[in-house]
Amino acid sequence: MNEWLSRINRTLDKEVKLAVTGLSRSGKTVFITSLVHQLLHGTESSHLPFFTIANSGRLRGTKAMPQPDLHIPSFRYDQAIEQLCGEVPTWPKPTSGISELRLAIRYISNNPLTKHISPINTLYVDIIDYPGEWLLDLPLLELSYEQWCQQIVEQCKEQPRLSLSEQWRTFLDTFNPSDEVNATIIREASVLYTDFLYKCKKQYGLNLLQPGRFTMPGDDLKGAPVLEFCPLFNIPETDNGNTIYTEMKKRYEYYKEYIVKKFYREHFSSFDRQIILADVLKAFNQGYATFTDMRDSLNMVLKSFHYGKSGFLNKLFGLKIDKILFAATKADHVTPEQLPNLEAFLQNMLANTHNNANFEGVDTKTLALASVKCTQAAHATYKGQRISCIKGVPIESNKPIALFPGEVPVKTPLPEEWVKDRFHFLDFKPPRLANIHGNGLPHIRIDRALEFLLGDKF
Ligand SMILES: Nc1nc2c(ncn2[C@@H]2O[C@H](COP(=O)(O)OP(=O)(O)OP(=O)(O)O)[C@@H](O)[C@H]2O)c(=O)[nH]1
Ligand SMILES: [Mg+2]
């Protein structure tokens, strides 16, 4: 019954489900927090000049409401905003589980047909937050265990995975996958594989780490046997049904069926709009291997969405996204004149997804944005020349500095052009704000994001 009511409301433009999609540390939690703060303060000042409903005076107000899914924890907006705007502002911790939020936006209708019957309307917006690591499970739905093993074999031929996986690969050589099933061997292999994934994440900031729950199990799965399996390098040609290989494969299929499908069925089905957040600047800093890993991970995840009607996820879960916003986050790390380059770069990096989505009739847009603007644009004189720079407090310091963070390329530089220290985009502390109640958080282009994602619903 609720499902039907929800469908009717969405058809009548009264409900929007917004999918906030992004790899780990791309800025999802900060984006959601800022978006809520901007909307809660939408009637109070002119901090959203490109969000027409706010700017035209038709926005009546926004409130957080009880969420529709009572079994999902609530998004802790109050905690996040307290941290961001406290005496010592801090960023939220990496997300370790799922949470949900519902906003009610009340506005004066402009629709000539309905405004006399119902002059004040409400749009409900549902958003979920989750760990970015879990997104990398989506491509697994289309891979058999054998295909997945083959992918990992290929990945481990290249550095840095070649070295980082050595201990795990050496252990794989100590047993035969056709041997009778042995719980101790399976556990040891999966522990070493998980260690390898953690090393990839911590030492190189790699994203393509599957299964996603291995590096971010969430509270419900820590230590569960479903997380005890790993890829094998030698797949036996025949299988007598009671081998290490059979058991690994069985657990992989169980993981897909009960963890991944459940997650996507409950949280990624029936979204109307999607924002894809990408932190390309951090990947630039970490070098070519990390950059290509980030690009490939994101493309792989987006490919799984297959935006048309015939796509795999559409058939499985009934997806029907009609607008996608591609956003390069943390745009306050660069000088304002670099924003067009940042947008062009992201557009290039995800060109295939753009084309496919456009072909299927999905409306797309690319924006460089900052959910919380931590720097100010400034100018400095260097060797007699006036140069643009930014001013902010670096994450590991207490003193503001002014710096020129470097130019953002429009296209991916060739491998040999990634010379050390070519890119140096610093992380900044959130700004200290005198009054967080009278105004939305300082931002870059969140109003344009809101206009694209929600503007046509009012
Ligand atoms: N300067 C600046 N930094 C930001 C902004 N948004 C996010 N960050 C930085 O990016 C980090 C990650 O942001 P989160 O929002 O926690 O990222 P996430 O996508 O939720 O990450 P997971 O929960 O790990 O999936 C923060 O700790 C900040 O350091 C922004 O608008 N400006
Ligand atoms: Mg998060």
Side-chain angles (χ1 to χ4, degrees):
M1 179 64 189
N2 267 347
E3 175 64 13
W4 278 107
L5 201 61
S6 167
R7 277 193 192 183
I8 293 167
N9 277 338
R10 284 160 64 196
T11 316
L12 294 174
D13 274 356
K14 289 195 165 173
E15 226 176 277
V16 179
K17 284 200 172 199
L18 177 63
V20 178
T21 310
L23 302 176
S24 81
R25 319 311 295 138
S26 58
K28 298 181 294 298
T29 304
V30 175
F31 171 79
I32 297 169
T33 309
S34 174
L35 181 138
V36 175
H37 197 263
Q38 310 298 345
L39 287 170
L40 292 182
H41 295 86
T43 53
E44 289 160 17
S45 68
S46 54
H47 61 282
L48 300 171
F50 287 92
F51 188 35
T52 312
I53 191 83
N55 208 19
S56 64
R58 290 197 290 119
L59 182 64
R60 270 320 216 21
T62 303
K63 257 188 160 182
M65 302 293 282
Q67 66 208 51
D69 304 304
L70 299 182
H71 61 291
I72 300 173
S74 305
F75 179 76
R76 295 304 309 268
Y77 168 74
D78 46 346
Q79 261 177 15
I81 207 73
E82 221 169 84
Q83 283 175 345
L84 263 177
C85 304
E87 188 57 30
V88 182
T90 45
W91 296 111
K93 291 201 171 65
T95 307
S96 61
I98 230 170
S99 62
E100 189 180 36
L101 158 99
R102 164 167 276 208
L103 291 174
I105 306 176
R106 203 153 270 186
Y107 62 98
I108 300 171
S109 173
N110 214 9
N111 183 330
L113 292 176
T114 56
K115 72 178 175 190
H116 300 294
I117 313 164
S118 156
I120 305 227
N121 285 319
T122 308
L123 177 72
Y124 294 97
V125 181
D126 294 324
I127 304 175
I128 63 146
D129 192 22
Y130 54 91
E133 287 85 350
W134 296 2
L135 211 50
L136 264 305
D137 281 338
L138 181 52
L140 295 183
L141 288 177
E142 290 180 78
L143 293 180
S144 67
Y145 178 65
E146 291 74 14
Q147 288 169 322
W148 178 56
C149 292
Q150 190 51 40
Q151 266 193 10
I152 305 290
V153 169
E154 293 304 318
Q155 287 169 17
C156 288
K157 285 180 180 163
E158 306 276 340
Q159 291 295 13
R161 285 183 168 86
L162 178 64
S163 310
L164 298 178
S165 63
E166 198 178 333
Q167 212 184 345
W168 165 62
R169 286 186 293 109
T170 309
F171 183 75
L172 292 186
D173 286 339
T174 63
F175 63 89
N176 185 340
S178 301
D179 288 349
E180 193 178 334
V181 63
N182 178 321
T184 313
I185 290 181
I186 291 182
R187 186 167 308 127
E188 181 65 14
S190 81
V191 166
L192 290 172
Y193 178 68
T194 309
D195 280 353
F196 154 60
L197 295 182
Y198 273 119
K199 282 183 204 151
C200 294
K201 181 175 178 175
K202 296 218 167 102
Q203 295 178 22
Y204 289 86
L206 301 184
N207 283 290
L208 190 42
L209 308 174
Q210 295 167 315
R213 297 272 188 160
F214 279 38
T215 51
M216 183 55 81
D219 295 334
D220 50 336
L221 286 184
K222 261 184 209 148
V226 64
L227 300 191
E228 282 176 4
F229 66 90
C230 73
L232 289 169
F233 272 48
N234 297 311
I235 302 289
E237 285 188 2
T238 52
D239 175 25
N240 73 14
N242 192 28
T243 63
I244 293 176
Y245 157 62
T246 330
E247 188 60 25
M248 293 278 197
K249 184 180 162 106
K250 196 170 95 190
R251 292 186 189 191
Y252 171 83
E253 293 300 341
Y254 186 96
Y255 180 86
K256 275 173 39 177
E257 193 61 37
Y258 294 97
I259 312 295
V260 188
K261 269 194 194 164
K262 182 171 177 284
F263 173 57
Y264 287 101
R265 188 179 301 116
E266 287 185 358
H267 309 297
F268 272 77
S269 61
S270 62
F271 276 111
D272 311 283
R273 305 270 152 106
Q274 187 175 31
I275 176 163
I276 293 159
L277 303 175
D279 179 2
V280 287
L281 299 172
K282 188 177 80 193
F284 278 152
N285 282 347
Q286 288 172 315
Y288 186 66
T290 304
F291 168 77
T292 49
D293 177 85
M294 186 275 284
R295 180 194 62 194
D296 296 348
S297 307
L298 203 49
N299 274 310
M300 202 186 260
V301 167
L302 296 179
K303 198 164 154 240
S304 318
F305 279 99
H306 295 299
Y307 293 102
K309 290 186 185 65
S310 57
F312 175 74
L313 284 182
N314 299 17
K315 281 189 201 149
L316 204 56
F317 302 130
L319 275 181
K320 53 164 200 53
I321 293 167
D322 64 351
K323 275 190 168 204
I324 307 172
L325 179 64
F326 297 90
T329 52
K330 312 178 197 177
D332 56 329
H333 288 187
V334 299
T335 52
E337 56 273 25
Q338 295 295 315
L339 296 186
N341 279 23
L342 191 52
E343 286 175 358
F345 187 88
L346 185 66
Q347 174 107 18
N348 266 320
M349 191 177 100
L350 301 177
N352 274 344
T353 310
H354 267 281
N355 290 343
N356 292 340
N358 288 150
F359 181 82
E360 297 291 347
V362 181
D363 200 3
T364 62
K365 187 179 173 75
T366 303
L367 269 183
L369 58 80
S371 308
V372 180
K373 184 167 172 263
C374 307
T375 63
Q376 299 297 327
H379 286 98
T381 310
Y382 181 70
K383 292 185 178 168
Q385 271 199 338
R386 194 174 135 91
I387 53 166
S388 261
C389 49
I390 49 171
K391 233 175 141 178
V393 183
I395 199 91
E396 268 140 26
S397 153
N398 284 320
K399 280 196 196 139
I401 60 161
L403 83 158
F404 175 67
E407 239 173 68
V408 180
V410 175
K411 289 204 171 116
T412 311
L414 294 168
E416 60 273 21
E417 291 171 341
W418 291 72
V419 287
K420 199 168 178 303
D421 291 335
R422 169 171 176 178
F423 300 110
H424 198 54
F425 301 108
L426 278 188
D427 282 340
F428 291 95
K429 283 190 168 153
R432 280 194 69 202
L433 302 167
N435 176 16
I436 59 149
H437 299 298
N439 229 326
L441 288 166
H443 67 88
I444 298 174
R445 296 180 175 174
I446 290 281
D447 50 343
R448 293 177 206 237
L450 281 168
E451 181 64 17
F452 178 77
L453 292 167
L454 302 177
D456 61 323
K457 297 281 182 186
F458 299 110

